[in-house]
Amino acid sequence: MGKAVQVTFGGKTVVASFDKSATRDGKGRWTAELPAMTANRTSQSLTVNGTNTIEIKDVLIGEVWLCSGQSNMEWTVASSTNAAAEIAAAEYPLIRQIKVPKVQSTVPLDDIAAQWQVCSPETAGGFTPGGHFMARRLHKELNVPIGLVNSS
């Protein structure tokens, strides 16, 4: 029983076919690989059409950095030197962070309960300072969106 899923993003569309009986884990998992795209400063929607339609809005193409470690990386901008001024000036809508929650598990997990946050005075206090200051500098130098995966 084959099915097809159509994934559209940035004017590009790919079709991923899969057969539930052929999947290794029996859960009907599938993947679709979009072609490489140039970084952009305009958010777009990613649409997945299959049995139903899912739309993910406000998606950017740019740099993604893994921020991992202990104490210093886990620290927050709110605990940094000059925190009030740094937070007040944190108007960077093209810098985003997702904070990976600490979850104990004896098996690999497929998903996390976390959302991407846009860097703003309302959210920047919770960003990792090492990632935040690096992202700010990279964004200014490269003029591309910067995503931070905070797994500290």
Side-chain angles (χ1 to χ4, degrees):
M1 164 197 272
K3 303 230 182 212
V5 175
Q6 180 177 306
V7 179
T8 304
F9 179 73
K12 311 270 193 250
T13 299
V14 296
V15 177
S17 297
F18 69 103
D19 181 339
K20 282 191 176 186
S21 65
T23 57
R24 186 180 248 173
D25 61 8
K27 294 183 180 179
R29 297 174 192 198
W30 55 273
T31 60
E33 186 173 327
L34 291 160
M37 297 179 201
T38 304
N40 71 8
R41 300 173 50 81
T42 305
S43 69
Q44 302 174 56
S45 292
L46 182 138
T47 305
V48 180
N49 288 308
T51 305
N52 60 342
T53 299
I54 299 170
E55 182 180 19
I56 302 170
K57 297 179 180 181
D58 197 22
V59 179
L60 297 167
I61 301 172
E63 300 265 324
V64 178
W65 290 80
L66 175 63
C67 304
S68 188
Q70 293 179 302
S71 50
N72 289 343
M73 195 61 72
E74 193 171 24
W75 196 22
T76 63
V77 171
S79 299
S80 300
T81 302
N82 204 19
E86 293 293 348
I87 291 169
E91 284 291 345
Y92 295 97
L94 299 181
I95 296 176
R96 316 282 173 94
Q97 174 183 273
I98 187 166
K99 173 73 170 124
V100 178
K102 294 178 185 176
V103 177
Q104 293 183 2
S105 177
T106 58
V107 297
L109 302 176
D110 293 328
D111 203 359
I112 60 171
Q115 299 290 319
W116 284 95
Q117 292 187 312
V118 175
C119 183
S120 70
E122 293 75 35
T123 62
F127 276 42
T128 172
H132 171 76
F133 296 122
M134 176 195 69
R136 188 175 69 188
R137 182 171 180 172
L138 282 172
H139 173 64
K140 287 179 179 179
E141 288 179 11
L142 302 175
N143 199 29
V144 299
I146 307 291
L148 303 173
V149 178
N150 183 352
S151 180
S152 53

